[in-house]
Amino acid sequence: MRHEVTAADTALAVGSGDVEILATPRLITWLEYTTAQLALSALGPGQTSVGTSVRVRHRLPTRVGDTVDVVADGPEVDGRHLRFQVRATNSAGQLIADGELERVVVDRERFLANVP
């Protein structure tokens, strides 16, 4: 998936820092969205997946106006656990982030019934 970095995506805008570059929380959101879309193929009726673990290295800053391509490989399936290798590159093809995200397949109704 390709995303363009806007002023709303910066560390200053999301409150994770005071610079106008791509915020790590926004980058993680893009990575997680990509894995959630890929996880759909592993779901049965009444199931959804939820994020449970994020291990990402944000390696390079990205300016407003640049684009970020997000890719996820997987899922590697271990029972209900889905593991994805993720990476993001800027418009110059430089690796700006890489890591691993995990999701767990849950029954949607049962999961929501346990939310306080």
Side-chain angles (χ1 to χ4, degrees):
M1 289 195 154
R2 177 167 287 165
H3 302 272
E4 181 176 342
V5 179
T6 69
D9 302 316
T10 65
L12 182 63
V14 303
S16 66
D18 63 359
V19 290
E20 294 189 54
I21 59 163
L22 176 60
T24 301
R26 181 73 78 220
L27 175 60
I28 290 172
T29 297
W30 293 343
L31 292 165
E32 191 151 31
Y33 176 81
T34 301
T35 64
Q37 295 304 301
L38 286 174
L40 293 173
S41 66
L43 303 179
Q47 293 181 324
T48 190
S49 69
V50 295
T52 57
S53 177
V54 176
R55 287 178 295 283
V56 173
R57 290 171 298 276
H58 193 167
R59 298 175 175 274
L60 289 175
T62 307
R63 294 186 184 282
V64 170
D66 201 354
T67 57
V68 174
D69 288 311
V70 174
V71 177
D73 297 327
E76 181 182 310
V77 180
D78 181 11
R80 297 183 317 125
H81 297 267
L82 309 175
R83 186 172 302 112
F84 299 87
Q85 300 303 313
V86 296
R87 63 192 171 283
T89 55
N90 62 19
S91 61
Q94 296 171 303
L95 182 68
I96 64 166
D98 63 342
E100 181 178 274
L101 273 70
E102 293 181 16
R103 303 184 69 78
V104 171
V105 176
V106 298
D107 177 272
R108 181 188 307 272
E109 286 185 28
R110 196 172 325 145
F111 179 80
L112 291 174
N114 289 320
V115 176

